[in-house]
Amino acid sequence: MFTDGDIKANHFLLLVKAAALFIADQHEEAMMRVQELAKACPSADTRACWIVKAYLHVQLGNHASDDARHKEAANHFTAAVNTSSSFSKLAIHSKYEDFVVLFGWDLKSLWETANKKRCFALLRARKLGEASEAHRHMMDKCDESTKANCFGWSTDFKQKCSALYHADGDAAFSASDYDKAITLYSAAIDLDATSDTIFIKRCKAKLEMKLWEDALLDAQKVIELNPSSHIGYELKHAALHGAQHYDASIEAFQTMLLQLENTPETQTRQMRQQYRSPAEVERDIREVIHTQLADTPLRLLDTTSGLLCDREAQISVFKTSTEYKELVSSTIRHTDLQMERIAEVVATYFRCVMLSHRWEEKEPQLEDLQDRVVYELEAVGGIVKLQSFCRIAREAHYRWAWMDTCCIDKNNNTELQKSLNSMFVWYRHSALTIVYLSDVPPSSKAGALAKSAWNRRGWTVQEFLAPKVILFYQSNWTPYLNDHSPNHKESTVIMQELEDATGIDARTLTAFRPGMTGAREKLRWASTRNTTLPEDVAYSLFGIFDIHLPVIYGETKQNALGRLLQEIVAQSGDITALDWVGESSQFNSCLPASITSYEAAACKLLSPSEDEIQTSISMLRNNVTADSASKLYTLLSNLSTPRFAHHRLDLPCIVFPVTEVKRSETRDQQSYEIRADGLHDLLIKTREKLIPFSPARSIQKKVFLVRPWNHLLLDDMQSVKDGLVPQSASQNEKGPVDVDSYSRDLRLIVRLGQQFSAFLLMQQRGGGYKRMASDQDIIAQIKDMTSIHKMIDVRSLEIL
């Protein structure tokens, strides 16, 4: 009506109309008209269209925000920013003042407002990446004056956005999604890098991801932001430990402890009690080391350096090792688990490989190796064997090795004593024992082990019984029978061959336990073996019997063996060591002069069958009263166990006085007929010459046939429970008798008769008795069960 067809005026009025429609809540109609105006009037100034459109988008965004439709709001504010981006720095508020007058629009800050609202809308919509990018874009586009005006708003926005990133990072960390947590924490740090808390959390996430160097940078930042806090140094210690910078990690940990000790906060200061200082850890490690080394040799070869080391040298080497520093750096808390960790690392590091071999000419001695490198020695004689042994151990990842010829100071009596008494324990606790068969050529077939001279040496008995893991090597240091398994004790073929060669059953070979049990059998194992030094025949058996005795080279073989045997009898009460054939010892006539005397099979006492026992008990019921049977049992049970003192054997025995000795009429001049009170006539054979005597010749000689008392018979009786005795037999004039006890005593009398198949022939001399013939020399048959109880004489004899 008034524009007279002025296109610009018409265009302006149509925009006003669109704005009026928007104000009248016809939002879609208004936006459509603005868009149509922009398209329909391409030649006109379209800037006004974009200004109106931008402002209307801001208003729509406000409405959406008020209704918590944050994604929709963000879209509107983004549209407003995109629309107004071309005039962000123009003074549009003055050019289009009519809109300001008509509608009260704030066009001056339109671009700034749209950007700010867009940032917060994206933030509320949890589009954190887009929000932070929108913020960056805005700050990059605005001039310095606008930046100054937006500083407070920008700081607030970044803190809020950072907090949301922080919260999402915590959620990811809790879900063990450490990679995502690192990304989120990093985004938070990009917006606000003033808090040490976020760096602490990102550092922990990086530690979980084993990003040691990156974690170290965060730890340094924590220390920079909060120098008085212990946490930064704790994280620094963890990062350095993970990066294997152990010296630096220990230093960081010590600083952490100082921070805890010096903090004014009582609760934080109390946290110090959770940790051990490096000095305390080192003390704990030292204690574990001494415990570990208590069962290892006093001196070992370092297979890495080739040097011979005593225990202090071994510990010094360990303290310079990566394993030691890692252990000190890692075991910082007071927990049992950490002590287990120390024990595990120490045990692994100090694992020892022992060598079992046959001594040959020119074996290396201690003085040959002092302060010298094994691998640099001239490869001659036994040095070749030593070098090969160390290389084999090193290639198997064992740091320490032991060879008897060069790892014992034989000039030091104290060390020699401890070494010989501890050798079984050393082999027992070795990680591996290597048996070198120098006389078994490469590619040998089964049976070569049994023929090896190694199988005839005295010391090798304990060297293959004691270890739990053993490997046999041929002369060229290749595995025997090409068996590359980790433990030849698990090889059925090799153990069967060793059983056939030694007479020791395979089960004992693989699971031997030292002690006195089965003493006679253990003595038989050693009976065919020899040693370079005569006394070693006895010394090499100390570990087998779990005996510790002084080592006295020069004391003679008989004395060394005698001391061993007397200790076995005295400690265990086992009299089977008296069962032997051969020359008697000067140490004591009841003991053999040589270990070879045990090569003969042991005397096996036959136990009567249940039918025989019942028959004999029935016979004895008419001849033996309950009272006399009980007295016999009490007498035997009160006898002391065998013991030695001053080379004399105090031995409880059942004694039968010998009344006559005469040569047998057989051609065998070493056969004798003997009569003794309480026994039928006996025919004995002995290597010793006996002087005949009889009552008719009026020769008075105090000769006795004795049976060493075995307490095992009483032990057998303790378990007897039967009701075979008739009710009438359980009564006498003294009152009722315990049926079980009486039956037990009758069984004992039966066993006494049945088991009298081996004796000692003794002659009384001075204050004791001298042996004249041993068990194995005597053949005796006793059948009269009913008369034994009448003639039996039980006493303790002191045998010279």
Side-chain angles (χ1 to χ4, degrees), residues 575-603:
I575 59 171
T576 57
L578 306 180
D579 180 8
W580 51 270
V581 176
E583 180 185 352
S584 61
S585 174
Q586 296 177 4
F587 183 90
N588 183 280
S589 63
C590 275
L591 303 178
S594 172
I595 194 74
T596 59
S597 295
Y598 292 106
E599 187 175 356
C603 177

PDB file of all heavy atoms in Angstrom, residues 575-603:
ATOM      1  N   ILE A 575      68.121-104.222  65.157  1.00  0.00           N
ATOM      2  CA  ILE A 575      69.260-105.132  65.314  1.00  0.00           C
ATOM      3  C   ILE A 575      69.599-105.860  64.028  1.00  0.00           C
ATOM      4  O   ILE A 575      70.466-106.730  64.016  1.00  0.00           O
ATOM      5  CB  ILE A 575      68.975-106.165  66.423  1.00  0.00           C
ATOM      6  CG1 ILE A 575      67.725-106.982  66.080  1.00  0.00           C
ATOM      7  CG2 ILE A 575      68.837-105.484  67.765  1.00  0.00           C
ATOM      8  CD1 ILE A 575      67.489-108.154  67.010  1.00  0.00           C
ATOM      9  N   THR A 576      68.940-105.511  62.921  1.00  0.00           N
ATOM     10  CA  THR A 576      69.236-106.213  61.674  1.00  0.00           C
ATOM     11  C   THR A 576      70.644-105.923  61.176  1.00  0.00           C
ATOM     12  O   THR A 576      71.180-106.643  60.337  1.00  0.00           O
ATOM     13  CB  THR A 576      68.224-105.823  60.580  1.00  0.00           C
ATOM     14  OG1 THR A 576      68.258-104.392  60.397  1.00  0.00           O
ATOM     15  CG2 THR A 576      66.820-106.237  60.966  1.00  0.00           C
ATOM     16  N   ALA A 577      71.270-104.839  61.706  1.00  0.00           N
ATOM     17  CA  ALA A 577      72.652-104.561  61.335  1.00  0.00           C
ATOM     18  C   ALA A 577      73.600-105.629  61.875  1.00  0.00           C
ATOM     19  O   ALA A 577      74.750-105.729  61.449  1.00  0.00           O
ATOM     20  CB  ALA A 577      73.065-103.182  61.848  1.00  0.00           C
ATOM     21  N   LEU A 578      73.130-106.456  62.821  1.00  0.00           N
ATOM     22  CA  LEU A 578      73.949-107.546  63.361  1.00  0.00           C
ATOM     23  C   LEU A 578      73.887-108.787  62.472  1.00  0.00           C
ATOM     24  O   LEU A 578      74.530-109.788  62.767  1.00  0.00           O
ATOM     25  CB  LEU A 578      73.475-107.902  64.775  1.00  0.00           C
ATOM     26  CG  LEU A 578      73.407-106.729  65.775  1.00  0.00           C
ATOM     27  CD1 LEU A 578      72.919-107.234  67.126  1.00  0.00           C
ATOM     28  CD2 LEU A 578      74.743-106.040  65.896  1.00  0.00           C
ATOM     29  N   ASP A 579      73.116-108.710  61.433  1.00  0.00           N
ATOM     30  CA  ASP A 579      72.938-109.846  60.524  1.00  0.00           C
ATOM     31  C   ASP A 579      73.912-109.699  59.353  1.00  0.00           C
ATOM     32  O   ASP A 579      73.655-108.976  58.404  1.00  0.00           O
ATOM     33  CB  ASP A 579      71.480-109.841  60.029  1.00  0.00           C
ATOM     34  CG  ASP A 579      71.205-110.986  59.069  1.00  0.00           C
ATOM     35  OD1 ASP A 579      72.073-111.855  58.903  1.00  0.00           O
ATOM     36  OD2 ASP A 579      70.109-110.982  58.475  1.00  0.00           O
ATOM     37  N   TRP A 580      75.049-110.392  59.436  1.00  0.00           N
ATOM     38  CA  TRP A 580      76.079-110.261  58.407  1.00  0.00           C
ATOM     39  C   TRP A 580      76.930-111.527  58.358  1.00  0.00           C
ATOM     40  O   TRP A 580      76.876-112.375  59.239  1.00  0.00           O
ATOM     41  CB  TRP A 580      76.967-109.041  58.672  1.00  0.00           C
ATOM     42  CG  TRP A 580      77.528-108.965  60.073  1.00  0.00           C
ATOM     43  CD1 TRP A 580      76.954-108.369  61.139  1.00  0.00           C
ATOM     44  CD2 TRP A 580      78.758-109.533  60.528  1.00  0.00           C
ATOM     45  NE1 TRP A 580      77.731-108.505  62.264  1.00  0.00           N
ATOM     46  CE2 TRP A 580      78.858-109.212  61.916  1.00  0.00           C
ATOM     47  CE3 TRP A 580      79.786-110.266  59.936  1.00  0.00           C
ATOM     48  CZ2 TRP A 580      79.944-109.616  62.694  1.00  0.00           C
ATOM     49  CZ3 TRP A 580      80.872-110.663  60.713  1.00  0.00           C
ATOM     50  CH2 TRP A 580      80.942-110.327  62.084  1.00  0.00           C
ATOM     51  N   VAL A 581      77.762-111.644  57.338  1.00  0.00           N
ATOM     52  CA  VAL A 581      78.660-112.793  57.178  1.00  0.00           C
ATOM     53  C   VAL A 581      80.054-112.265  56.868  1.00  0.00           C
ATOM     54  O   VAL A 581      80.212-111.444  55.972  1.00  0.00           O
ATOM     55  CB  VAL A 581      78.202-113.713  56.021  1.00  0.00           C
ATOM     56  CG1 VAL A 581      79.200-114.841  55.810  1.00  0.00           C
ATOM     57  CG2 VAL A 581      76.832-114.278  56.313  1.00  0.00           C
ATOM     58  N   GLY A 582      81.035-112.746  57.611  1.00  0.00           N
ATOM     59  CA  GLY A 582      82.403-112.324  57.320  1.00  0.00           C
ATOM     60  C   GLY A 582      83.212-112.099  58.567  1.00  0.00           C
ATOM     61  O   GLY A 582      82.898-112.603  59.644  1.00  0.00           O
ATOM     62  N   GLU A 583      84.258-111.291  58.427  1.00  0.00           N
ATOM     63  CA  GLU A 583      85.188-111.032  59.524  1.00  0.00           C
ATOM     64  C   GLU A 583      84.589-109.998  60.472  1.00  0.00           C
ATOM     65  O   GLU A 583      84.006-109.003  60.046  1.00  0.00           O
ATOM     66  CB  GLU A 583      86.514-110.526  58.945  1.00  0.00           C
ATOM     67  CG  GLU A 583      87.556-110.225  59.998  1.00  0.00           C
ATOM     68  CD  GLU A 583      88.808-109.608  59.400  1.00  0.00           C
ATOM     69  OE1 GLU A 583      88.908-109.556  58.153  1.00  0.00           O
ATOM     70  OE2 GLU A 583      89.682-109.177  60.181  1.00  0.00           O
ATOM     71  N   SER A 584      84.778-110.256  61.761  1.00  0.00           N
ATOM     72  CA  SER A 584      84.241-109.322  62.748  1.00  0.00           C
ATOM     73  C   SER A 584      85.163-108.123  62.891  1.00  0.00           C
ATOM     74  O   SER A 584      86.363-108.191  62.623  1.00  0.00           O
ATOM     75  CB  SER A 584      84.070-110.011  64.100  1.00  0.00           C
ATOM     76  OG  SER A 584      85.311-110.465  64.589  1.00  0.00           O
ATOM     77  N   SER A 585      84.580-107.019  63.345  1.00  0.00           N
ATOM     78  CA  SER A 585      85.303-105.754  63.440  1.00  0.00           C
ATOM     79  C   SER A 585      86.055-105.638  64.750  1.00  0.00           C
ATOM     80  O   SER A 585      85.612-106.144  65.791  1.00  0.00           O
ATOM     81  CB  SER A 585      84.314-104.593  63.319  1.00  0.00           C
ATOM     82  OG  SER A 585      84.939-103.362  63.546  1.00  0.00           O
ATOM     83  N   GLN A 586      87.172-104.948  64.701  1.00  0.00           N
ATOM     84  CA  GLN A 586      87.899-104.650  65.927  1.00  0.00           C
ATOM     85  C   GLN A 586      87.164-103.605  66.750  1.00  0.00           C
ATOM     86  O   GLN A 586      87.418-103.452  67.943  1.00  0.00           O
ATOM     87  CB  GLN A 586      89.311-104.149  65.586  1.00  0.00           C
ATOM     88  CG  GLN A 586      90.187-105.191  64.897  1.00  0.00           C
ATOM     89  CD  GLN A 586      91.538-104.640  64.525  1.00  0.00           C
ATOM     90  OE1 GLN A 586      91.866-103.492  64.835  1.00  0.00           O
ATOM     91  NE2 GLN A 586      92.359-105.457  63.856  1.00  0.00           N
ATOM     92  N   PHE A 587      86.265-102.885  66.113  1.00  0.00           N
ATOM     93  CA  PHE A 587      85.463-101.895  66.820  1.00  0.00           C
ATOM     94  C   PHE A 587      84.539-102.578  67.813  1.00  0.00           C
ATOM     95  O   PHE A 587      84.419-102.164  68.964  1.00  0.00           O
ATOM     96  CB  PHE A 587      84.654-101.087  65.806  1.00  0.00           C
ATOM     97  CG  PHE A 587      83.842 -99.975  66.409  1.00  0.00           C
ATOM     98  CD1 PHE A 587      84.371 -98.712  66.559  1.00  0.00           C
ATOM     99  CD2 PHE A 587      82.529-100.189  66.807  1.00  0.00           C
ATOM    100  CE1 PHE A 587      83.630 -97.681  67.105  1.00  0.00           C
ATOM    101  CE2 PHE A 587      81.771 -99.170  67.354  1.00  0.00           C
ATOM    102  CZ  PHE A 587      82.328 -97.908  67.502  1.00  0.00           C
ATOM    103  N   ASN A 588      83.887-103.633  67.355  1.00  0.00           N
ATOM    104  CA  ASN A 588      83.027-104.455  68.201  1.00  0.00           C
ATOM    105  C   ASN A 588      82.790-105.757  67.464  1.00  0.00           C
ATOM    106  O   ASN A 588      82.491-105.758  66.269  1.00  0.00           O
ATOM    107  CB  ASN A 588      81.694-103.754  68.484  1.00  0.00           C
ATOM    108  CG  ASN A 588      80.813-104.549  69.430  1.00  0.00           C
ATOM    109  OD1 ASN A 588      80.151-105.493  69.012  1.00  0.00           O
ATOM    110  ND2 ASN A 588      80.820-104.178  70.709  1.00  0.00           N
ATOM    111  N   SER A 589      82.920-106.846  68.204  1.00  0.00           N
ATOM    112  CA  SER A 589      82.878-108.151  67.552  1.00  0.00           C
ATOM    113  C   SER A 589      81.523-108.479  66.952  1.00  0.00           C
ATOM    114  O   SER A 589      81.401-109.372  66.123  1.00  0.00           O
ATOM    115  CB  SER A 589      83.277-109.246  68.545  1.00  0.00           C
ATOM    116  OG  SER A 589      82.344-109.316  69.610  1.00  0.00           O
ATOM    117  N   CYS A 590      80.466-107.778  67.375  1.00  0.00           N
ATOM    118  CA  CYS A 590      79.135-108.024  66.805  1.00  0.00           C
ATOM    119  C   CYS A 590      78.948-107.322  65.467  1.00  0.00           C
ATOM    120  O   CYS A 590      77.935-107.532  64.811  1.00  0.00           O
ATOM    121  CB  CYS A 590      78.053-107.567  67.782  1.00  0.00           C
ATOM    122  SG  CYS A 590      77.642-108.807  69.007  1.00  0.00           S
ATOM    123  N   LEU A 591      79.894-106.504  65.105  1.00  0.00           N
ATOM    124  CA  LEU A 591      79.785-105.744  63.865  1.00  0.00           C
ATOM    125  C   LEU A 591      80.815-106.242  62.862  1.00  0.00           C
ATOM    126  O   LEU A 591      81.874-106.739  63.251  1.00  0.00           O
ATOM    127  CB  LEU A 591      80.010-104.250  64.140  1.00  0.00           C
ATOM    128  CG  LEU A 591      79.069-103.611  65.162  1.00  0.00           C
ATOM    129  CD1 LEU A 591      79.433-102.146  65.380  1.00  0.00           C
ATOM    130  CD2 LEU A 591      77.616-103.743  64.732  1.00  0.00           C
ATOM    131  N   PRO A 592      80.559-106.089  61.581  1.00  0.00           N
ATOM    132  CA  PRO A 592      81.487-106.588  60.565  1.00  0.00           C
ATOM    133  C   PRO A 592      82.658-105.634  60.352  1.00  0.00           C
ATOM    134  O   PRO A 592      82.555-104.425  60.598  1.00  0.00           O
ATOM    135  CB  PRO A 592      80.613-106.664  59.312  1.00  0.00           C
ATOM    136  CG  PRO A 592      79.612-105.580  59.506  1.00  0.00           C
ATOM    137  CD  PRO A 592      79.312-105.552  60.977  1.00  0.00           C
ATOM    138  N   ALA A 593      83.745-106.178  59.863  1.00  0.00           N
ATOM    139  CA  ALA A 593      84.921-105.364  59.572  1.00  0.00           C
ATOM    140  C   ALA A 593      84.766-104.625  58.252  1.00  0.00           C
ATOM    141  O   ALA A 593      85.442-103.620  58.018  1.00  0.00           O
ATOM    142  CB  ALA A 593      86.164-106.244  59.534  1.00  0.00           C
ATOM    143  N   SER A 594      83.887-105.120  57.385  1.00  0.00           N
ATOM    144  CA  SER A 594      83.736-104.521  56.061  1.00  0.00           C
ATOM    145  C   SER A 594      82.268-104.452  55.670  1.00  0.00           C
ATOM    146  O   SER A 594      81.455-105.292  56.074  1.00  0.00           O
ATOM    147  CB  SER A 594      84.507-105.350  55.025  1.00  0.00           C
ATOM    148  OG  SER A 594      84.228-104.903  53.714  1.00  0.00           O
ATOM    149  N   ILE A 595      81.949-103.440  54.866  1.00  0.00           N
ATOM    150  CA  ILE A 595      80.585-103.286  54.371  1.00  0.00           C
ATOM    151  C   ILE A 595      80.190-104.450  53.479  1.00  0.00           C
ATOM    152  O   ILE A 595      78.999-104.758  53.321  1.00  0.00           O
ATOM    153  CB  ILE A 595      80.442-101.942  53.610  1.00  0.00           C
ATOM    154  CG1 ILE A 595      78.960-101.584  53.381  1.00  0.00           C
ATOM    155  CG2 ILE A 595      81.177-101.994  52.279  1.00  0.00           C
ATOM    156  CD1 ILE A 595      78.252-101.117  54.602  1.00  0.00           C
ATOM    157  N   THR A 596      81.170-105.152  52.912  1.00  0.00           N
ATOM    158  CA  THR A 596      80.884-106.287  52.031  1.00  0.00           C
ATOM    159  C   THR A 596      80.197-107.424  52.768  1.00  0.00           C
ATOM    160  O   THR A 596      79.605-108.307  52.147  1.00  0.00           O
ATOM    161  CB  THR A 596      82.169-106.792  51.372  1.00  0.00           C
ATOM    162  OG1 THR A 596      83.097-107.175  52.398  1.00  0.00           O
ATOM    163  CG2 THR A 596      82.802-105.711  50.505  1.00  0.00           C
ATOM    164  N   SER A 597      80.277-107.435  54.095  1.00  0.00           N
ATOM    165  CA  SER A 597      79.636-108.484  54.893  1.00  0.00           C
ATOM    166  C   SER A 597      78.123-108.456  54.774  1.00  0.00           C
ATOM    167  O   SER A 597      77.445-109.405  55.169  1.00  0.00           O
ATOM    168  CB  SER A 597      80.037-108.350  56.369  1.00  0.00           C
ATOM    169  OG  SER A 597      81.419-108.577  56.533  1.00  0.00           O
ATOM    170  N   TYR A 598      77.568-107.361  54.255  1.00  0.00           N
ATOM    171  CA  TYR A 598      76.115-107.240  54.117  1.00  0.00           C
ATOM    172  C   TYR A 598      75.635-107.632  52.719  1.00  0.00           C
ATOM    173  O   TYR A 598      74.449-107.512  52.419  1.00  0.00           O
ATOM    174  CB  TYR A 598      75.661-105.808  54.428  1.00  0.00           C
ATOM    175  CG  TYR A 598      75.830-105.444  55.880  1.00  0.00           C
ATOM    176  CD1 TYR A 598      76.848-104.587  56.283  1.00  0.00           C
ATOM    177  CD2 TYR A 598      74.985-105.972  56.847  1.00  0.00           C
ATOM    178  CE1 TYR A 598      77.014-104.255  57.615  1.00  0.00           C
ATOM    179  CE2 TYR A 598      75.143-105.655  58.188  1.00  0.00           C
ATOM    180  CZ  TYR A 598      76.163-104.790  58.569  1.00  0.00           C
ATOM    181  OH  TYR A 598      76.324-104.481  59.893  1.00  0.00           O
ATOM    182  N   GLU A 599      76.553-108.097  51.896  1.00  0.00           N
ATOM    183  CA  GLU A 599      76.164-108.480  50.545  1.00  0.00           C
ATOM    184  C   GLU A 599      75.267-109.707  50.541  1.00  0.00           C
ATOM    185  O   GLU A 599      74.388-109.867  49.692  1.00  0.00           O
ATOM    186  CB  GLU A 599      77.415-108.742  49.698  1.00  0.00           C
ATOM    187  CG  GLU A 599      77.112-108.990  48.232  1.00  0.00           C
ATOM    188  CD  GLU A 599      78.365-109.126  47.404  1.00  0.00           C
ATOM    189  OE1 GLU A 599      79.472-108.961  47.958  1.00  0.00           O
ATOM    190  OE2 GLU A 599      78.253-109.405  46.199  1.00  0.00           O
ATOM    191  N   ALA A 600      75.492-110.615  51.521  1.00  0.00           N
ATOM    192  CA  ALA A 600      74.640-111.805  51.629  1.00  0.00           C
ATOM    193  C   ALA A 600      73.212-111.401  51.957  1.00  0.00           C
ATOM    194  O   ALA A 600      72.965-110.376  52.597  1.00  0.00           O
ATOM    195  CB  ALA A 600      75.184-112.739  52.700  1.00  0.00           C
ATOM    196  N   ALA A 601      72.277-112.210  51.518  1.00  0.00           N
ATOM    197  CA  ALA A 601      70.865-111.910  51.782  1.00  0.00           C
ATOM    198  C   ALA A 601      70.600-111.892  53.273  1.00  0.00           C
ATOM    199  O   ALA A 601      71.210-112.630  54.051  1.00  0.00           O
ATOM    200  CB  ALA A 601      69.983-112.949  51.102  1.00  0.00           C
ATOM    201  N   ALA A 602      69.707-111.019  53.683  1.00  0.00           N
ATOM    202  CA  ALA A 602      69.365-110.906  55.100  1.00  0.00           C
ATOM    203  C   ALA A 602      68.651-112.164  55.569  1.00  0.00           C
ATOM    204  O   ALA A 602      67.998-112.865  54.794  1.00  0.00           O
ATOM    205  CB  ALA A 602      68.476-109.687  55.320  1.00  0.00           C
ATOM    206  N   CYS A 603      68.824-112.430  56.857  1.00  0.00           N
ATOM    207  CA  CYS A 603      68.145-113.579  57.463  1.00  0.00           C
ATOM    208  C   CYS A 603      66.660-113.251  57.581  1.00  0.00           C
ATOM    209  O   CYS A 603      66.281-112.293  58.254  1.00  0.00           O
ATOM    210  CB  CYS A 603      68.738-113.872  58.842  1.00  0.00           C
ATOM    211  SG  CYS A 603      67.911-115.203  59.712  1.00  0.00           S
TER     212      CYS A 603
END
